[in-house]
Amino acid sequence: MPGIDLHAHSSASDGTTSPAALVQHAVEVGLEVVALTDHDTTAGWDEAAEALPAGLRLVRGAEISCVHGGISLHLLAYLFDPGHPPLVQALQRLRDSRLGRAERMVQKLVADGVPVTWGQVQGLAGGTVGRPHVAQALVDAGLVSSVDEAFSDDWIGTGGRYWASKEDLDVLEAIRLVRDAGGVAVFAHPAATSRGRTVGEPVIEEMAAAGLAGLEVDHPDHGEDARRRMREVAADLGLFVTGSSDFHGANKDVALGAWRTDPAAYDELVGRAVGAEVVQ
Ligand code: AMP
Ligand code: ZN
Ligand code: FE
Ligand code: FE
């Protein structure tokens, strides 16, 4: 499979490599295309574009925190106008909600005598704050041995002892905002059951009707069954299929480029976008 990886995080959210280091790393692992998809922000776009090495194409995007029927889900948005006011405002609200929620998690920990501070977590987050930053504070305090271990019921796993909820954007509204901003929407890791409940096929159908363009089928959190099932759903609904690593630097053990997208799907994605250009 050629080198197209359409989902990666930088230190503008909860990855550990800077946007500039991420594009450099993409070339080093042999990618021809990389998408920068930080949580609820476009803050890394300019740095990544300015540092872009020769021979690499950059798809600018974001991963939007969404909800539908009480189930949380992630929407990948690509090549949208980063200045489209309703989308800018929605992303700002999502980041604000993350901030309050991370602080509540820290307050719960502190109330139980766990030696972490809000200042420490803020220092770890260079942009959009996320649970991996709280997790890193727990690692630094010697309370858990890895970021992954902090995502358990005893700590900040979804519904866990020190977990707090956040306000996400209804996914159908998010799809409309992305399309209004000239972007292309892809449902991220639609069958990643290890992260919690996932929406069923009827909701994916509603998303398709709202303008969803693709499904991220090949992803580290999908087993073979999930991938087969999601490939069928995509075919049924006329959605293209992507494959991506969801790279988070040292915060997760998947390598950049470990999962990749077929060039035909990439071409379809780029062909639909009118909000921003691929940087090359
Ligand atoms: P948040 O967006 O703040 O709710 O945090 C979720 C983020 O943490 C997602 O980007 C996941 O990639 C990451 N994450 C979820 N589960 C784990 C895990 N077990 N280990 C490391 N990172 C995780
Ligand atoms: Zn993340
Ligand atoms: Fe995600
Ligand atoms: Fe992600």
Side-chain angles (χ1 to χ4, degrees), residues 14 39 98 101 130-132 147-148 151 195 248 251-252:
D14 57 5
H39 295 284
R98 284 175 161 279
R101 168 282 192 131
R131 279 183 286 169
V147 165
D148 191 54
F151 278 84
R195 293 161 178 256
H248 276 72
N251 274 344
K252 271 188 162 184

Side-chain angles (χ1 to χ4, degrees), residues 34-220:
V34 71
L36 176 66
T37 54
D38 278 307
H39 295 284
D40 306 321
T41 189
T42 59
W45 283 23
D46 289 350
E47 183 186 316
E50 274 154 31
L52 197 69
L56 182 69
R57 280 173 280 171
L58 172 68
V59 174
R60 293 169 293 174
E63 184 174 19
I64 306 180
S65 305
C66 296
V67 64
H68 193 72
I71 295 176
S72 97
L73 65 166
H74 292 172
L75 187 74
L76 289 161
Y78 296 106
L79 301 172
F80 54 88
D81 172 2
H84 183 66
L87 186 55
V88 168
Q89 286 154 23
L91 295 179
Q92 182 67 54
R93 279 197 302 275
L94 291 169
R95 293 195 302 273
D96 289 347
S97 164
R98 284 175 161 279
L99 206 56
R101 168 282 192 131
E103 198 171 359
R104 281 199 301 285
M105 288 192 284
V106 171
Q107 282 165 354
K108 283 188 179 189
L109 288 159
V110 170
D112 255 10
V114 178
V116 294
T117 68
W118 178 228
Q120 186 187 357
V121 172
Q122 281 178 301
L124 288 163
T128 304
V129 69
R131 279 183 286 169
H133 301 116
V134 180
Q136 186 60 50
L138 292 168
V139 172
D140 292 348
L143 295 155
V144 294
S145 59
S146 67
V147 165
D148 191 54
E149 199 186 319
F151 278 84
S152 67
D153 286 347
D154 292 338
W155 297 100
I156 56 168
T158 304
R161 182 159 179 189
Y162 299 105
W163 172 78
S165 65
K166 58 181 165 55
E167 291 287 318
D168 294 329
L169 183 63
D170 184 84
V171 75
L172 301 179
E173 193 189 334
I175 291 169
R176 287 188 202 104
L177 280 174
V178 170
R179 293 198 65 204
D180 287 349
V184 180
V186 172
F187 187 179
H189 44 76
T193 47
S194 61
R195 293 161 178 256
R197 285 195 300 154
T198 55
V199 297
E201 195 171 336
V203 173
I204 303 180
E205 251 181 79
E206 278 186 80
M207 291 167 67
L212 183 75
L215 283 189
E216 187 183 55
V217 170
D218 299 315
H219 182 279

